Amino acid sequence: MIENVHRKKHLSSSQIIILGFASVILFGTILLMLPFSAKSGTVTPFHEALFTATSAVCVTGLVIRDTASYWSYFGQAIILLLIQIGGMGVITVAASIVLLSGRKISLMQRSTMQEALSAPKVGGIVRLTGFIIKSTILIEATGALLMLPVFLRDFGSRGIWMSLFHSISAFCNAGFDLLGTKVLPFASMTLYSGNPVINIVTVLLIIIGGIGFLTWDDIRTNRHHVTHYRMQSKVILVTTGLLIIIPALFFFVFEYTSLPLGERILCSLFQSVTPRTAGFNTTDLTLFRGASRCVIIILMLIGGSPGSTAGGMKTTTFAVLLANSIAVFCRKEDTQFFGRRIEKGVIQNASTILMMYLTLFVSGGLLISVIEKLPISVCLFETASAVGTVGLSLGITPQLGIISQGVLIALMFLGRVGGLTLIYATLSHTNRNLSKLPQEKITVG
């Protein structure tokens, strides 16, 4: 017992984050297995409940059971709770409970919160947590109110629950929806492809959630004084804008050519935003050409921004790698953003993250393709969706076997907690070797 307490005291921040996510997933799995979680009143198999709980906590949206037609109101409420915890972050939710109870937060707890939120420093972390709680409630409530008239018109009083569920799911970049039926399961938002209210509100919620709480705190503090923003906030805003505009133009030109202009614009914008990393879709992705699927895969792997509700390898990782490539092409010694130099360690971390995501994405796709005897392109789409915690699917996930579902579960978990977090958790007690080996040149390229 004493040994266990001793170990617990020496858990690193990375280990606490991973154990927190795993504990919530296991708890959610148990609740979803209960008979009254399903509309049929039967016990949901463990692997199906585990897949759903993992997808919800990791705010992915991949499902093997249609959320609306399979789960009862209790089951849907559990899924929504898991989405909220996963979107805000397990550590942030735990810290919120501590703050509301009036207890003080220790320095170790503040350090864990800093890592979970990707905050630059420990100072002000409690204030930032309070800002996150208030902002989340305000944004999700506003989104629900804006969606309410449409859902009330189409679903009556059930529209209240629909509005709340979809607002939270969109802000948390989860991609779970309640629009499927027994006749038409996994419909997502295809019935609202031409509805401006649902499209625009959902897009705004996804973007707001995906930009990150640190960026919004910077915007709130400095308002229209853009020059006062932190360099990271500037990089996130510019990169996010480009990753919305360029793909939207691509989809507008090469897809949706048969739609009316208004609906064509809405679909192009929606399809540009949702892969990073919301997972809703307003059109059938199986009808997309190969080039469009490739663009979606790239967007899914990039994901949202640090300290946000979104997953993926993050916009800053992509921006750092791109800026480093430009610096090499221009024969510049340093990688730069807005007149500031990026340290080498950040570039090394970005390269490591890229390699980890590519390794998980490709190896997972190959494994599922071999096991299920499916085309590799389809499998890679699903694994990109899983590791990027997106939730977009070409429809094969519900038909996968238990082993392949296990692969997707692992990818969703690793994609949410972050590759570097897992490495730091595993190697937290490894002694650093300060000695250096002899240097020798190697030719690359």
Side-chain angles (χ1 to χ4, degrees), residues 19-308:
L19 288 174
F21 271 99
S23 300
V24 174
I25 289 172
L26 182 60
F27 181 67
T29 301
I30 294 171
L31 291 178
L32 289 176
M33 289 179 66
L34 298 174
F36 42 85
S37 290
K39 286 185 176 180
S40 61
T42 57
V43 175
T44 301
F46 174 78
H47 69 277
E48 293 184 3
L50 176 63
F51 190 100
T52 305
T54 305
S55 184
V57 175
C58 298
V59 289
T60 305
L62 286 175
V63 292
I64 52 181
R65 294 285 191 177
D66 180 66
T67 309
S69 59
Y70 180 81
W71 301 104
S72 64
Y73 277 110
F74 177 82
Q76 292 171 12
I78 294 300
I79 291 172
L80 191 62
L81 176 63
L82 296 177
I83 289 171
Q84 188 72 85
I85 293 173
M88 291 179 64
V90 174
I91 304 302
T92 305
V93 173
S96 304
I97 296 172
V98 173
L99 287 173
L100 291 173
S101 66
R103 292 159 54 195
K104 290 186 177 181
I105 298 178
S106 67
L107 183 60
M108 177 60 188
Q109 291 171 329
R110 291 169 190 257
S111 177
T112 304
M113 291 164 62
Q114 177 198 6
E115 184 166 336
L117 294 171
S118 301
K121 57 184 180 179
V122 175
I125 199 69
V126 174
R127 181 196 62 80
L128 179 61
T129 302
F131 170 72
I132 291 173
I133 298 169
K134 294 174 185 176
S135 300
T136 299
I137 294 173
L138 177 62
I139 294 168
E140 291 176 346
T142 303
L145 286 174
L146 291 174
M147 291 182 178
L148 187 59
V150 177
F151 286 129
L152 278 177
R153 179 197 67 194
D154 296 342
F155 299 96
S157 59
R158 183 167 169 254
I160 300 173
W161 174 240
M162 302 277 285
S163 302
L164 180 64
F165 190 99
H166 289 98
S167 179
I168 293 175
S169 184
F171 176 73
C172 292
N173 280 228
F176 279 81
D177 68 89
L178 299 178
L179 297 170
T181 62
K182 289 184 178 180
V183 179
L184 185 64
F186 313 111
S188 192
M189 292 187 168
T190 52
L191 299 177
Y192 291 94
S193 61
N195 187 293
V197 174
I198 298 299
N199 274 262
I200 294 173
V201 172
T202 303
V203 163
L204 289 176
L205 287 171
I206 294 169
I207 294 173
I208 292 170
I211 282 179
F213 298 110
L214 286 172
T215 306
W216 284 115
D217 184 50
D218 204 0
I219 294 172
R220 182 193 63 150
T221 303
N222 297 297
R223 301 188 184 277
H224 60 277
H225 301 291
V226 180
T227 54
H228 296 167
Y229 288 6
R230 291 189 296 267
M231 180 193 66
Q232 176 168 303
S233 298
K234 295 177 184 177
V235 171
I236 287 173
L237 291 172
V238 171
T239 306
T240 299
L242 291 175
L243 289 175
I244 292 173
I245 295 171
I246 296 174
L249 290 174
F250 177 88
F251 293 129
F252 183 85
V253 173
F254 297 105
E255 300 287 346
Y256 309 124
T257 53
S258 61
L259 297 177
L261 181 60
E263 188 173 351
R264 187 178 177 185
I265 293 173
L266 287 176
C267 287
S268 300
L269 177 63
F270 195 97
Q271 195 53 56
S272 174
V273 171
T274 191
R276 304 178 30 256
T277 57
F280 296 109
N281 60 283
T282 54
T283 50
D284 188 355
L285 299 180
T286 60
L287 302 178
F288 274 32
R289 63 185 72 197
S292 298
R293 292 185 189 180
C294 183
V295 171
I296 293 173
I297 287 176
I298 293 172
L299 293 174
M300 289 195 292
L301 291 175
I302 293 174
S305 302
S308 71

Side-chain angles (χ1 to χ4, degrees), residues 293-334:
R293 292 185 189 180
C294 183
V295 171
I296 293 173
I297 287 176
I298 293 172
L299 293 174
M300 289 195 292
L301 291 175
I302 293 174
S305 302
S308 71
T309 61
M313 65 180 187
K314 302 298 186 285
T315 52
T316 48
T317 302
F318 172 73
V320 166
L321 293 172
L322 183 60
N324 185 57
S325 299
I326 293 173
V328 172
F329 293 149
C330 297
R331 295 185 179 275
K332 293 182 179 179
E333 186 176 346
D334 298 315

Side-chain angles (χ1 to χ4, degrees), residues 303-375:
S305 302
S308 71
T309 61
M313 65 180 187
K314 302 298 186 285
T315 52
T316 48
T317 302
F318 172 73
V320 166
L321 293 172
L322 183 60
N324 185 57
S325 299
I326 293 173
V328 172
F329 293 149
C330 297
R331 295 185 179 275
K332 293 182 179 179
E333 186 176 346
D334 298 315
T335 301
Q336 302 173 6
F337 283 121
F338 302 102
R340 294 291 186 271
R341 176 171 51 86
I342 305 298
E343 60 180 340
K344 299 296 182 183
V346 174
I347 300 171
Q348 291 175 338
N349 284 346
S351 301
T352 303
I353 292 170
L354 173 64
M355 284 306 301
M356 289 190 64
Y357 270 85
L358 289 178
T359 301
L360 292 170
F361 156 62
V362 174
S363 58
L366 289 172
L367 189 57
I368 292 176
S369 179
V370 170
I371 294 172
E372 304 292 339
K373 296 180 175 59
L374 291 170

